[in-house]
Amino acid sequence: MSAYDLAVIGLGYVGMPLAKEASGVGLRVVGLDIDPRKVDALTSGRSYIDDLSDADLDTMLTNGFTATLDQTVLTGSDTIVICVPTPLDEDHRPDLSAVRGAVETVGRHLQRGTLVVLESTTYPGTTDDVVRPILEDASGLTAGVDFHLAFSPERIDPGNPKFGLRNTPKVVGGYTQACRDRAAAFYGRLVEQVVTVSGTREAEMAKLLENTYRHVNIALVNEMAIFCDELGVNLWESIEAAATKPFGFQKFLPGPGVGGHCIPVDPSYLSHAVRKLGYPFRFVELAQEINERMPAYVVARVQRLLNRAKKPVNGSRVLLMGVTYKPDIADERETPAVPVARAFRDLGAELLFADPHVKQWSVDGVEVPREDDLAEAVRKADVTVLLQQHSEFDLDMVQQRAHLILDTRGVLSEGDRVERL
């Protein structure tokens, strides 16, 4: 009998919900990471994940969950799931270094009969063409014969109160049919619905399709926001009207840019795969271009607001409300607040921020002063930029007290002092 039913590699926003769910159904779970700070925090009962409370973690520890830096735990694990980051490098190309490192570690400890699953988002062909050869070379074992190999894309939506790991359907594709069936049986113990596809490439593509769909549609409404402002059209009202159609339309809203791991990153993985065929994926690259220009457009709109008040940006006090990439969470990954802040700084603005979920915030290594008293902060600011509508914000008070506001989320009433994006 193996020491562990499941080893999770990568104890972040994907790995920890998986470990929590598996621990909750009685599996013996170990978590492996290379960051000693994460292991120390988890071992002492301190969660750093929005969707995992300290109480949740305490229950996991009581159920036998262990976090470790010791790679030898993989030798005694029936199933190994890899949940490491897949960012972009400086040239906007997929960076699989964390995946390769994790897979090499697995390969050194791989035993016959083990199920290995990659959950990290990547381009089609990674599981079969990158992961499999590394595992086979390092272990001397053969995928589909000596061990099982599968891909199952993560679908974690941090801060979503309605859909978590258990009630979100889990897509699974295997290197062989037997690999797929073994992975489906494993996830069937944790989630309500498992959706199988014919291979790992189809599962990898499903994840990229989901996020590219969102990326392109967000770019559509972002570009419409720019020209609707010039046309004098209230796009927010038009979107709400269109959303009353019960078929053929899904509501997407404009904003200051896209953030998080998925939307700014995943479509680039798909674009990379297409470029290897010798031509560009024009839809994705255009969407990337539009969404990446939104922070600059936000700053230009604020400049216009200040101009009307006969104030320059240089020397003006600019308050950024909400600097995370989603409401009601502390996650700052790829937040558009960073390029917005950078641009204001370059223009000489006096920058401040307010965010109940972020205690300290630095941009390019320089700390931005934090305002604890929101009412006083908006009163003192020359202009307030609502970047993220955290539920803790008293928006009625902000609307009443702020001198000028640019609302990038469409949640305030427009008036003499308030403009929507």
Side-chain angles (χ1 to χ4, degrees):
M1 180 174 164
S2 299
Y4 301 103
D5 298 307
L6 170 64
V8 178
I9 302 179
L11 303 180
Y13 81 103
V14 175
M16 285 310 297
L18 174 63
K20 173 191 168 187
E21 209 62 57
S23 176
V25 298
L27 300 188
R28 296 160 297 157
V29 183
V30 63
L32 176 65
D33 205 285
I34 60 172
D35 186 346
R37 293 170 300 177
K38 288 184 177 180
V39 171
D40 289 346
L42 294 172
T43 302
S44 60
R46 287 181 289 110
S47 174
Y48 44 82
I49 305 293
D50 283 298
D51 292 339
L52 185 76
S53 67
D54 288 352
D56 292 332
L57 180 54
D58 186 58
T59 301
M60 291 173 64
L61 294 168
T62 301
N63 290 341
F65 171 74
T66 306
T68 184
L69 301 168
D70 182 7
Q71 301 172 356
T72 62
V73 296
L74 300 176
T75 303
S77 300
D78 286 335
T79 296
I80 300 170
V81 180
I82 299 168
C83 305
V84 297
T86 47
L88 300 174
D89 64 18
E90 292 179 355
D91 298 318
H92 261 252
R93 293 175 305 194
D95 179 0
L96 295 182
S97 56
V99 169
R100 291 177 185 275
V103 172
E104 287 166 2
T105 300
V106 172
R108 291 194 297 271
H109 300 279
L110 190 59
Q111 302 293 302
R112 291 182 184 275
T114 303
L115 166 64
V116 180
V117 184
L118 178 64
E119 285 206 5
S120 306
T121 302
T122 187
Y123 54 83
T126 302
T127 306
D128 288 5
D129 301 338
V130 177
V131 173
R132 180 183 58 82
I134 294 174
L135 290 175
E136 292 182 341
D137 290 346
S139 67
L141 303 175
T142 302
V145 177
D146 302 312
F147 68 94
H148 296 93
L149 177 63
F151 181 82
S152 180
E154 61 88 3
R155 280 176 161 174
I156 300 296
D157 185 20
N160 190 322
K162 185 176 180 182
F163 291 106
L165 183 70
R166 174 160 287 280
N167 65 346
T168 301
K170 199 83 172 80
V171 174
V172 173
Y175 176 61
T176 65
Q177 188 171 328
C179 293
R180 179 197 69 192
D181 293 345
R182 169 74 183 272
F186 165 73
Y187 283 112
R189 301 175 70 178
L190 312 181
V191 303
E192 294 171 4
Q193 182 184 0
V194 175
V195 179
T196 58
V197 292
S198 58
T200 59
R201 283 173 169 79
E202 286 72 22
E204 289 161 339
M205 182 61 83
K207 170 66 173 178
L208 296 181
L209 176 59
E210 292 167 17
N211 286 330
T212 300
Y213 170 80
R214 291 167 62 200
H215 185 53
V216 167
N217 280 283
I218 291 168
L220 171 66
V221 291
N222 275 339
E223 188 163 38
M224 291 182 76
I226 293 170
F227 67 69
C228 280
D229 174 61
E230 295 185 36
L231 290 172
V233 175
N234 186 331
L235 177 63
W236 300 91
E237 193 175 326
S238 299
I239 290 171
E240 293 303 327
T244 62
K245 186 180 180 183
F247 54 89
F249 182 83
Q250 184 177 355
K251 183 169 80 171
F252 288 85
L253 297 173
V258 291
H261 171 71
C262 293
I263 303 298
V265 176
D266 294 358
S268 293
Y269 273 69
L270 187 50
S271 179
H272 170 78
V274 175
R275 278 196 171 275
K276 288 197 296 184
L277 302 176
Y279 47 86
F281 189 1
R282 289 179 292 174
F283 238 82
V284 161
E285 292 171 17
L286 181 60
Q288 197 94 17
E289 180 186 320
I290 292 166
N291 287 333
E292 285 180 354
R293 73 185 268 206
M294 291 308 292
Y297 178 68
V298 167
V299 174
R301 288 286 298 273
V302 171
Q303 281 181 295
R304 193 177 77 185
L305 266 176
L306 287 169
N307 274 343
R308 287 176 185 161
K310 296 182 171 56
K311 291 183 178 181
V313 177
N314 193 348
S316 287
R317 181 173 291 205
V318 178
L319 175 68
L320 304 182
M321 281 181 58
V323 297
T324 61
Y325 89 89
K326 281 187 69 178
D328 300 331
I329 63 170
D331 201 331
E332 301 169 36
R333 286 172 303 165
E334 305 293 333
T335 173
V338 168
V340 167
R342 185 179 294 132
F344 276 126
R345 231 188 222 151
D346 289 345
L347 291 169
E350 181 187 343
L351 207 56
L352 306 159
F353 88 97
D355 194 310
H357 299 276
V358 179
K359 301 308 175 191
Q360 281 186 305
W361 190 49
S362 295
V363 175
D364 300 330
V366 180
E367 192 162 323
V368 179
R370 182 178 191 270
E371 292 288 328
D372 291 317
D373 185 338
L374 184 59
E376 183 65 11
V378 296
R379 188 188 66 78
K380 292 189 302 184
D382 293 298
V383 63
T384 296
V385 186
L386 178 61
L387 294 176
Q388 198 53 266
Q389 73 275 35
H390 296 309
S391 57
E392 291 95 327
F393 287 149
D394 183 345
L395 297 180
D396 289 336
M397 177 277 294
V398 170
Q399 180 130 5
Q400 289 167 11
R401 293 202 178 197
H403 298 293
L404 294 171
I405 306 174
L406 179 67
D407 171 15
T408 72
R409 298 297 179 179
V411 292
L412 299 175
S413 302
E414 287 196 285
D416 293 340
R417 296 174 296 107
V418 182
E419 275 193 15
R420 286 180 173 181
L421 190 65

